[in-house]
Amino acid sequence: MGRKGKFEHYTISSKYLKEEMTLKVYTPENYSPLYKYHFCIMQDGNDYFQMGRAATLSDQLHSAQEIENTIFIGIHYNDKYDRQDKYHPDGKKQGDYVNFLVREVVPLLDKELPGYSMGKGRTLAGDSLAGTLALMIAARFPNIFGNVIMQSPYVDAHVLEYIQSVSDLSSLTIYHTIGLQETDVKTTDGSTKNFLDPNLDLRRYLDNQPLSYIFHELDGGHTWGSWQQDLPRALRTMFTKEF
């Protein structure tokens, strides 16, 4: 069965990252510049399209009228080390990557596509380190990115301290999941880490903040099998017709 929507690619010669960055954009069936669209901006973009089946879900959820008009934008990394540099809270390119997203990606999307041009119209989505990145950027720039989908984010003392230092999270909507089997996760540097307990610490903090916060524990591990199964619910939650 063919795609109902359409893929387009945009290239940014990033002055911050000093490289060519590709945005893989999926517009839904019956796309028209006369309508307004929510933007779902996904780090680990190729993974969300291939393993998360984001384009197929877009077709299904739009056809069933279960979500509002949404454009899915995927941004990918070069390799696992490049991903670590760009997404990790202590990554050497993370500051440049944040500037790339805020100062290059958003202006391009607002110029080329009919979005709402406000925080509530833009969602940052990511798994693992990409989820951490989504949370930290939205906490810092809530007027630009009002919503977060974070699936099994990497959480450490730095991340918790950063979120606790943000004076006002009230304008954010956050969808957060963690798998109950995520107690021994192998990371890029070869070490293993407990993702479950720090995520539960983060949950306890966010639960007590004045924001729209949705949390689910998944019966699974740190894998795309878990995240793909959860993604339809995440998208319905964030882009529901009652938004």
Side-chain angles (χ1 to χ4, degrees):
M1 191 175 75
R3 294 250 173 263
K4 294 179 178 177
K6 182 181 171 189
F7 274 112
E8 288 187 56
H9 294 81
Y10 297 89
T11 303
I12 294 175
S13 296
S14 174
K15 70 178 184 183
Y16 297 101
L17 292 169
K18 308 284 194 290
E19 66 175 296
E20 299 274 301
M21 298 292 291
T22 299
L23 310 187
K24 193 172 183 179
V25 174
Y26 191 72
T27 51
E29 187 179 21
N30 301 325
Y31 167 78
S32 166
L34 301 176
Y35 302 135
K36 293 274 195 203
Y37 291 80
H38 293 275
F39 293 163
C40 183
I41 304 168
M42 307 174 296
Q43 312 329 301
D44 288 353
N46 290 353
D47 297 338
Y48 267 97
F49 280 125
Q50 291 166 11
M51 292 180 279
R53 300 176 64 235
T56 300
L57 289 174
S58 173
D59 288 350
Q60 293 170 349
L61 295 171
H62 279 104
S63 291
Q65 298 189 326
E66 291 188 71
I67 60 172
E68 291 202 348
N69 290 337
T70 303
I71 294 172
F72 291 85
I73 299 106
I75 308 170
H76 208 58
Y77 50 88
N78 298 320
D79 56 38
K80 65 181 182 179
Y81 303 106
D82 180 59
R83 180 178 184 268
Q84 181 95 351
D85 288 345
K86 288 172 176 170
Y87 296 178
H88 195 283
D90 302 320
K92 61 187 178 186
K93 293 183 183 175
Q94 205 231 26
D96 293 328
Y97 193 84
V98 172
N99 276 324
F100 158 70
L101 271 180
V102 171
R103 305 181 200 287
E104 295 178 326
V105 172
V106 169
L108 181 139
L109 294 177
D110 285 350
K111 176 172 171 276
E112 299 289 341
L113 299 165
Y116 288 99
S117 299
M118 54 191 277
K120 276 293 173 197
R122 301 189 195 97
T123 297
L124 284 177
D127 63 286
S128 197
L129 270 182
T132 314
L133 184 78
L135 174 66
M136 295 180 78
I137 294 178
R140 184 174 164 193
F141 299 101
N143 294 330
I144 299 176
F145 306 106
N147 315 304
V148 173
I149 294 172
M150 53 179 183
Q151 299 179 291
S152 306
Y154 168 77
V155 180
D156 60 12
H158 175 173
V159 175
L160 279 170
E161 284 169 16
Y162 182 80
I163 295 306
Q164 289 166 357
S165 76
V166 176
S167 58
D168 184 14
L169 297 167
S170 62
S171 63
L172 295 180
T173 298
I174 296 175
Y175 180 95
H176 177 196
T177 61
I178 187 67
L180 293 171
Q181 279 77 59
E182 294 191 57
T183 52
D184 202 20
V185 176
K186 191 167 185 181
T187 58
T188 303
D189 62 10
S191 63
T192 56
K193 290 190 169 65
N194 180 336
F195 271 54
L196 177 60
D197 290 344
N199 268 270
L200 295 178
D201 290 339
L202 177 61
R203 178 213 179 167
R204 279 187 282 275
Y205 180 74
L206 292 176
D207 251 345
N208 289 306
Q209 301 307 303
L211 75 157
S212 178
Y213 177 59
I214 304 98
F215 176 82
H216 295 287
E217 290 178 347
L218 308 180
D219 185 19
H222 198 77
T223 67
W224 267 104
S226 297
W227 302 327
Q228 198 283 323
Q229 286 182 9
D230 174 65
L231 194 55
R233 177 174 61 186
L235 300 181
R236 287 189 192 100
T237 300
M238 279 308 198
F239 306 113
T240 179
K241 284 291 189 179
E242 283 78 45
F243 182 89

